[in-house]
Amino acid sequence: MDTTWEDLSARLTPFIVEALPGSYLILSDIERPDVYVQMAFEAEKVIVEAVSDQFLDVSRQITEDQRIQLAELGWTPPEAAQGINWESPIAAPVSAQDARATAQRLVRTLRDVHAVPNPGRLIQRAWREWTPEAARMDPLPVDLGLAVAGQFSAPPTPVKVPWYKRLFGAGS
């Protein structure tokens, strides 16, 4: 893929504005899948997260310099956010200005903090929430100019488990 970081930011912006509640997006490094940023769209807010040490390989734990960079980019550390990842939620509906700032934050986090060399190293997973009526997770047709991950399989019965635990395991 020949997508530049600027292209990725420009393509993310309208997606962030237009995504419906129940939509999810994860961008991760193909070679280091534990390096990711993700968004979960709810009716009143968008949960925007960057990976924390809890999910990073021990060889890639966040350094003090990276913690400073993340804070300067507007991320709240997991311990302060009482979450499991670095967070930077935004109110919904999302304005174009907030979407642009969020897209730039995601790009700078992947590029500058986690040293992903180019967007060609990223893979995207975008889908709508699983519902009993649909009996599947519907992939979202999002053109970010990135490689697209394969299908998600839906749970066999409805479950009330947070989305991140379904993706990363019950121990998350």
Side-chain angles (χ1 to χ4, degrees):
M1 304 261 167
D2 293 332
T3 302
T4 66
W5 290 113
E6 293 75 21
D7 293 338
L8 178 57
S9 183
R11 289 176 181 204
L12 273 168
T13 299
F15 171 77
I16 295 168
V17 169
E18 297 166 7
L20 298 173
S23 298
Y24 300 86
L25 174 69
I26 300 174
L27 304 178
S28 58
D29 186 332
I30 292 170
E31 294 183 21
R32 301 171 298 161
D34 58 340
V35 172
Y36 62 85
V37 294
Q38 59 190 12
M39 294 184 288
F41 294 81
E42 298 179 351
E44 296 180 8
K45 67 180 176 180
V46 180
I47 300 167
V48 185
E49 297 182 335
V51 66
S52 71
D53 284 341
Q54 180 175 346
F55 300 104
L56 284 169
D57 182 81
V58 80
S59 67
R60 287 190 283 282
Q61 297 290 293
I62 296 171
T63 66
E64 187 57 32
D65 286 345
Q66 288 172 311
R67 290 180 68 80
I68 291 167
Q69 282 181 293
L70 287 163
E72 288 174 348
L73 288 172
W75 295 103
T76 302
E79 53 277 8
Q82 299 179 354
I84 59 169
N85 280 315
W86 289 78
E87 295 182 10
S88 184
I90 52 177
V94 181
S95 70
Q97 181 179 353
D98 285 347
R100 202 169 16 263
T102 299
Q104 291 169 354
R105 180 178 303 112
L106 296 173
V107 162
R108 291 183 63 199
T109 299
L110 291 165
R111 181 190 64 204
D112 302 341
V113 177
H114 293 292
V116 176
N118 61 67
R121 277 267 299 266
L122 296 175
I123 190 165
Q124 73 181 46
R125 293 172 178 85
W127 72 99
R128 292 268 304 146
E129 181 62 88
W130 179 85
T131 63
E133 299 79 35
R136 67 179 185 275
M137 291 182 199
D138 294 324
L140 287 175
V142 180
D143 180 11
L144 300 178
L146 304 176
V148 177
Q151 293 280 33
F152 288 101
S153 58
T157 58
V159 292
K160 295 280 186 194
V161 178
W163 63 278
Y164 55 84
K165 288 190 177 184
R166 289 195 304 271
L167 288 178
F168 300 111
S172 301

